[in-house]
Each structure stands twice: as C-alpha cells, then as structure tokens.
Amino acid sequence: MAASLRVGVLTISDTGFADPASDTSGPSLCRLLEAQPRYTVQTRACVPDDLKAIQKTITAWCDDLDLHLVLSTGGTGFGVRDCTPEAVLPLLERQTPGISHLIFAKSVEITPFAALSRAVSGIRGQTLVITFPGSPKAVKENFEAIAKILPHAIDLARGGTGKKVHEQMQGGPRPSGLTADSAKVSKRLRKSPYPLTPMDKAMATVMDRVTPLPSVEKPVNESLIGAVLDEDVVAVEAVPGYRASILDGYAVIGKFLLVHLAVNHNHTYTDGPGQYPVTAVSIATASEGSAVKLLPGQIARITTGGALPEGATAVVMVEDTQLIKSSEDGTHEEIVEILARVRNGEAIRETGSDIQVGQTVLRKGQVVSAVGGEIGVLASIGVQRVRVRQHPTVGFLSTGNEVVNHDNGMPLKMGQIRDSNRPTLIAATKAAGFDYVDLGIALDSPEDLEAAVRGGLEKCDILVTTGGVSMGEMDLLKPILEQKLGATIHFGRIMMKPGKPTTFATVPNPKGGQDKLMFGLPGNPVSASVTFHLFVLPALRKLAGHEKYMWPSIQAEVR
Ligand SMILES: Nc1nc2c(c(=O)[nH]1)N[C@H]1C(S)=C(S)[C@@H](COP(=O)(O)OP(=O)(O)OC[C@H]3O[C@@H](n4cnc5c(N)ncnc54)[C@H](O)[C@@H]3O)O[C@H]1N2
Ligand code: MOO
Ligand SMILES: [Mg+2]
C-alpha cells in the first residue's frame, strides 16, 4: 500500500537552528513516523524560537502544501523564549483539546514534569497541527499516546466519515452475512461476523445512545397518559375554592361559638339540638356575590357541595333532623328540629383544605399515570396546559416471506405462519402507555426490506423489526442496514437465549438531526417478546424522559 498521509516535521529550537546536528527530536519524530507505512515525511525544517518564523513555516505547510499532519517539537515550555503555543494558536481554525488532553494525561502518568508543557493542537484548513515538547523522550511518549487515533483524526479533519479508518482499526470492514444478492448463497458466511455481546454491555450500549425527547406543552386531558412532567406544577387555585358542605342537611352555628358565648357571656347556648327557623337555602350551584349570613338561632338548608352561609360552623345531616313546620304549599321548610349535637367544623370542607394556592401538586419527572389521579389533580386546580416530555412512537415491522397477517381469514398454505409478533408487541406497547405505528410485513427481498425499513424509520422514534437477523440466506436485515442505509450495528448478537441474534443499530437521519434507533429482534416469537421487554421498553422509557427507565434487578443465586 502506498503511504498516503503526508507529514511535515518542524523542530522549534534556538540551539537546533544554530547547530542542526544538536537536533535529535526532529529526526526521532521522523523515525517514529516512518516506522508506519501509512505516513510519509514530506518536509522537514528547523526554526528558532521566533513567533514569525514558526508561523511562516506552519502556514505554508498547511495552506500551500496541504499536508495531512504537521508535528512540531520544542518551544512549548515555560522558558522565556518558548513561544510555540503563542505562534500556533492564532493559526488554528479549530482547536482539538481532546488530543492535547490525551497527550497530557499519558505524559503526567510518566512524569510530573509533563505539567510544564503548554503544548496545543488543532486544525487549520484540512491539516492537523500538533505541538510536542522538545525532548526526544517526550516526543516518543507523546507520539505513542496518540498513534492509535491519529489516522482517524486526520480522516475526519479531511471531511471523511471516519468509517474506513474505523474499520481498518477494527481489523477491516465487516464481512457481510448477505450478500444483498441472496442468490449467491454459496458465498454466505458460515460464521457470524458479530461478536456475542454480554448483556450488561449490550444494555449500556443501547442506553448510551438514547436521549430523552424534547418537551412540549399539552392540554390537560387523557393525551397526557404516560407523559413525564417537565415542570413542577403549582396550584393557582385552591381546592375547594370556597367553604363547602360535605353533606346534605342544615348549616348551623356549632358548639365552638356556643361554648365561647357561654364562657364569656355566661350565656346558655341558643344553637344545638332544638327547633330552628330555616332562614336560607344553599344548593350547590354557581352564584354571584357572597354567601348568605347566618345568625345565632337560625339554620340554613344546604346540599352537598353547597357554599356555607357566612357564620355557619358545622353541618347537621338531614337524617339527624325532623321537619316541624313547612309552608302551606309544601315547597318550603319553615321550622326544623336539630336532633344531634355537632362539633365545630363538622361536615365542612374548608377553603384550600385539599389543595392550597401555591402548593406544588406534581413534580418534574413524575409520570402522569393511566390511573387518572394526576390528570384529576391538574383539572381540579384549573391548569390548562402542562409541559411534558414528548411521547415516543415505536414502529413495528414484521419480516418474512412466510409471515401472513394473523387476521387475513385465509387458511394457511404449507410453510406459512401467522404473524403473532406484531400483535404481541403492539399489545405490550399499548399496555406500557407508548404510541406505536403498525408497519405491516416486509418480504425477504433486499428491495422490499430496504424500502420498508426506510419508510418505517421516518414514521417513528424507534423502529422494531422481527425476523431476518440470523444466519439464513433470507436473513437480510443486517447487511441492508450496513450496506444500504449506512447504519452502524452496535451489536448483532447477544449472550442470551432466547434472543441471541438481537441487533441494535443507529441509522443516520436523512433529514439531519439525531440518528434513528432501531432494533432487529429475532423472529422466534418468544425471542422477540423477551428482547422487546428487556431492551426496547427501557429505551422507550428513557426516550420518554423517565428517570427510572431500567427494570429493577435482583440478585439471584443458583444452588
Ligand atoms: N445457523 C444458525 N441458525 C440460527 C441461529 C444461529 O445462531 N445459527 N440462531 C437461531 C436463533 S437463536 C434464533 S432466535 C433465530 C432467529 O431467527 P431470525 O431472526 O433470523 O428470524 P427468521 O429466520 O425470520 O424467523 C425465525 C422463526 O420465527 C418465525 N417468525 C418470524 N417472524 C414471525 C412473526 N412475525 N410471527 C410469528 N413467527 C415468526 C419464522 O417463521 C421462523 O420460524 O434463528 C435461529 N437460527
Ligand atoms: O436465542 Mo433464539 O432467540 O434461541 O430463540
Ligand atoms: Mg432466520
């Protein structure tokens, strides 16, 4: 392979400039580079610790020679003449602190003196520029610290996707199970190219790539079911908003007032068991103005939820009274006998006794459950809209030439099987409170599958397919993802049965923005169901903004 990465090596040193033979770091750097066939040292120079001289050389190497990489050695310390960072920084269009930190982290592991380096790095045009300290030992250590990532970094700085380099570093491009041309069955792989991934690693791989969806404002109704609140909700209205009766009966002036009168004024109480005129009526209904006023010796007829007359301190239920006198036409009660003694406050809902103004009723992160309580609370305090995390939508696509709709009403032909995966997974999704799209069945043909996956990805946040992920010649999903959709398959097999060929991939979003997530679950119904619960539901929960998105785990011991 012809060496393709062109490098410039620049020694920055007053001494080296005066006596080129004294420069050992530059030659050492060249040897390190040339030990790797991918690099060619295209140019070398030595300049004094002089800002202008350094800038002139590096600018020419980046702008005129368009080198892939410029490595300098020297001038990064605390010495009064050291000015490499001051010279290089203004030339950089983008800094690359990660590279500098990596070098620094590795170097301080070796010697604390590395803390005295002020080395910098960055990109000018398409050239990666990295400054090393002056000592040959530091040059070697620094170069080794970044050797592994250097080709990748250069590829990216040149506008590459990094994919090629990545594949090379992983030992070459992944051989594909298909052959997007399923006719060439003899060419298929006889071993899976996907390593068996331990479950904890697979789970972490998925969760690392799931970021909660942004939040939106929604009206207070059943559309909130399953949503995660993205704000604290504070009551702006009290519940109840007025003093209300808990019972159907009579508002009275109760014991507290009577005792008060008796003690302070040596009164015998007027109210309590006895006969009273019914001077007012309060039916639970809206009314303008304030409540009627009740004086000692009077009672008011009241219904459950009715506003208490001013001055009333208790309510006696109708069962504990008897009618003494009514109006002639029977439409009014005039005198009623109270038979029971009631305590002050009895059968009264005080204003705000349930929820007070300013009280936090629901907290950010809380889930609006399908039980209804949260929605009820929001409704009771008059909140019109709340900020919640967007609800994710999951799409379900079954795959397989043998798979038919379960409800097609036709007898099965030999080799056909009813699609049980989609109804199963849709039911589980619904029960978990997420939205779904039913994407039907795709045939095992590269064209059909590619179109169905592409279309499906557009309609949902997470695409779930079942079938076609193992080793058969009709198992086309993985190669289609990688070869046609530019997807990255993060794992293609897991250390679990059922579910071994479970596949997780991220697919670039053609509309830009975040990559789309997709799970290729195995076709076997139990495998599909188990892996859905284990991987997809937690991913959906995380996407929906749940704080606790993982299943609880318990320690088990096999005896
Ligand atoms: N040579 C090997 N063969 C298989 C391996 C292996 O490691 N080496 N793994 C086995 C395991 S484990 C599983 S699990 C399955 C996974 O199969 P695929 O994901 O490729 O799925 P298909 O081949 O398309 O179908 C498998 C099975 O499931 C039935 N199926 C498919 N879709 C549905 C559906 N929607 N509803 C009901 N049943 C469905 C399909 O008819 C097949 O019987 O691979 C093993 N093979
Ligand atoms: O692991 Mo497969 O999922 O045996 O059924
Ligand atoms: Mg298969």
Side-chain angles (χ1 to χ4, degrees):
M1 186 181 78
S4 55
L5 302 179
R6 294 169 295 109
V7 190
V9 173
L10 177 64
T11 301
I12 302 168
S13 157
D14 286 339
T15 344
F17 184 66
D19 173 15
S22 69
D23 173 23
T24 53
S25 298
S28 149
L29 202 42
C30 291
R31 279 194 299 279
L32 287 165
L33 285 159
E34 282 169 347
Q36 295 193 24
R38 59 160 66 91
Y39 299 114
T40 307
V41 177
Q42 183 171 323
T43 178
R44 270 199 61 195
C46 183
V47 294
D49 291 294
D50 174 81
L51 199 107
K52 289 265 170 337
I54 299 168
Q55 289 186 333
K56 195 170 160 214
T57 309
I58 293 184
T59 309
W61 286 3
C62 295
D63 300 359
D64 303 333
L65 298 185
D66 189 29
L67 297 180
H68 290 90
L69 177 66
V70 170
L71 296 178
S72 75
T73 161
T76 64
F78 286 17
V80 284
R81 293 275 302 156
D82 289 335
C83 64
T84 302
E86 288 66 33
V88 173
L89 276 176
L91 306 181
L92 301 177
E93 285 150 12
R94 288 181 294 161
Q95 292 192 44
T96 52
I99 290 186
S100 308
H101 287 177
L102 180 59
I103 293 173
F104 184 64
K106 294 271 183 193
S107 308
V108 286
E109 268 175 26
I110 300 164
T111 167
F113 287 100
L116 304 182
S117 161
R118 302 184 300 119
V120 296
S121 62
I123 297 162
R124 179 181 174 86
Q126 293 197 312
T127 307
L128 182 60
V129 182
I130 305 175
T131 65
F132 291 155
S135 94
K137 182 171 173 292
V139 161
K140 183 166 182 294
E141 288 160 1
N142 284 194
F143 183 76
E144 281 166 1
I146 55 169
K148 196 168 172 198
I149 58 146
L150 213 43
H152 200 43
I154 292 168
D155 184 40
L156 292 170
R158 294 253 140 198
T161 59
K163 198 170 173 185
K164 256 204 182 111
V165 181
H166 217 97
E167 283 170 347
Q168 275 168 16
M169 292 191 312
Q170 309 246 326
R174 181 150 42 212
S176 157
L178 147 91
T179 124
D181 173 4
S182 49
K184 293 183 195 148
V185 63
S186 60
K187 296 218 168 107
R188 72 164 154 176
L189 291 174
R190 305 193 92 79
K191 289 264 184 293
S192 171
Y194 301 93
L196 274 171
T197 307
M199 282 302 282
D200 51 354
K201 191 168 170 219
M203 199 63 81
T205 301
V206 171
M207 294 311 158
D208 283 352
R209 282 163 186 83
V210 178
T211 24
L213 295 175
S215 60
V216 283
E217 274 203 351
K218 279 194 170 182
V220 174
N221 57 34
E222 72 291 345
S223 72
L224 289 178
I225 292 173
V228 176
L229 285 165
D230 201 33
E231 62 179 353
D232 287 349
V233 182
V234 176
V236 286
E237 287 177 1
V239 180
Y242 58 93
R243 297 181 81 211
S245 173
I246 290 177
L247 296 170
D248 299 309
Y250 297 87
V252 301
I253 297 175
K255 204 176 169 190
F256 174 80
L257 186 64
L258 301 173
V259 168
H260 173 84
L261 289 174
V263 170
N264 292 328
H265 307 287
N266 202 18
H267 255 263
T268 48
Y269 52 82
T270 51
D271 295 0
Q275 295 184 1
Y276 297 95
V278 182
T279 59
V281 177
S282 176
I283 309 279
T285 184
S287 65
E288 300 299 331
S290 53
V292 291
K293 195 170 169 69
L294 201 65
L295 297 171
Q298 298 178 338
I299 62 173
R301 206 171 87 225
I302 196 162
T303 67
T304 304
L308 224 65
E310 200 188 318
T313 64
V315 172
V316 179
M317 64 202 290
V318 68
E319 293 89 329
D320 291 336
T321 65
Q322 68 181 8
L323 179 66
I324 302 298
K325 183 167 180 276
S326 63
S327 61
E328 271 179 20
D329 61 1
T331 57
H332 290 90
E333 296 175 340
E334 288 179 354
I335 309 246
V336 164
E337 181 168 3
I338 301 288
L339 302 172
R341 205 176 269 282
V342 289
R343 283 169 196 260
N344 179 43
E346 180 110 357
I348 294 178
R349 275 184 212 130
E350 292 294 344
T351 306
S353 56
D354 197 359
I355 298 171
Q356 291 182 352
V357 173
Q359 190 178 334
T360 302
V361 291
L362 292 171
R363 294 211 175 270
K364 181 174 170 162
Q366 244 176 295
V367 181
V368 180
S369 74
V371 175
E374 293 83 5
I375 292 176
V377 165
L378 291 170
S380 70
I381 55 172
V383 169
Q384 305 294 305
R385 301 177 74 78
V386 279
R387 183 154 281 281
V388 292
R389 290 279 178 183
Q390 246 173 53
H391 226 41
T393 299
V394 53
F396 292 105
L397 176 68
S398 297
T399 73
N401 293 340
E402 79 284 26
V403 182
V404 296
N405 281 322
H406 73 285
D407 53 358
N408 68 358
M410 306 276 284
L412 290 179
K413 294 186 187 142
M414 170 59 80
Q416 280 188 329
I417 182 162
R418 295 202 189 274
D419 185 350
S420 62
N421 286 344
R422 246 178 332 135
T424 305
L425 302 184
I426 286 175
T429 302
K430 203 149 187 221
F434 296 108
D435 299 332
Y436 67 88
V437 268
D438 184 342
L439 301 167
I441 303 169
L443 295 176
D444 290 323
S445 87
E447 297 73 28
D448 206 52
L449 202 52
E450 183 187 339
V453 169
R454 267 190 208 284
L457 283 167
E458 273 181 27
K459 296 190 189 119
C460 56
D461 301 296
I462 296 187
L463 174 65
V464 173
T465 62
T466 61
V469 285
S470 196
M471 294 293 289
E473 66 261 45
M474 303 309 270
D475 292 337
L476 306 177
L477 188 77
K478 285 160 159 156
I480 280 176
L481 286 176
E482 286 190 319
Q483 294 168 17
K484 305 281 181 183
L485 295 166
T488 304
I489 293 185
H490 299 284
F491 55 82
R493 286 195 305 160
I494 53 171
M495 275 188 196
M496 185 185 81
K497 260 178 170 277
K500 192 171 109 188
T502 298
T503 298
F504 171 63
T506 45
V507 191
N509 187 344
K511 293 189 180 142
Q514 287 227 316
D515 285 358
K516 295 278 187 158
L517 306 171
M518 83 151 277
F519 290 89
L521 305 183
N524 283 342
V526 169
S527 314
S529 187
V530 168
T531 52
F532 174 79
H533 280 88
L534 280 179
F535 288 103
V536 185
L537 279 182
L540 282 169
R541 285 196 287 259
K542 185 164 185 200
L543 210 54
H546 286 238
E547 283 162 7
K548 287 189 184 142
Y549 50 85
M550 296 300 281
W551 290 111
S553 64
I554 53 161
Q555 197 82 30
E557 201 178 309
V558 181
R559 288 174 188 269

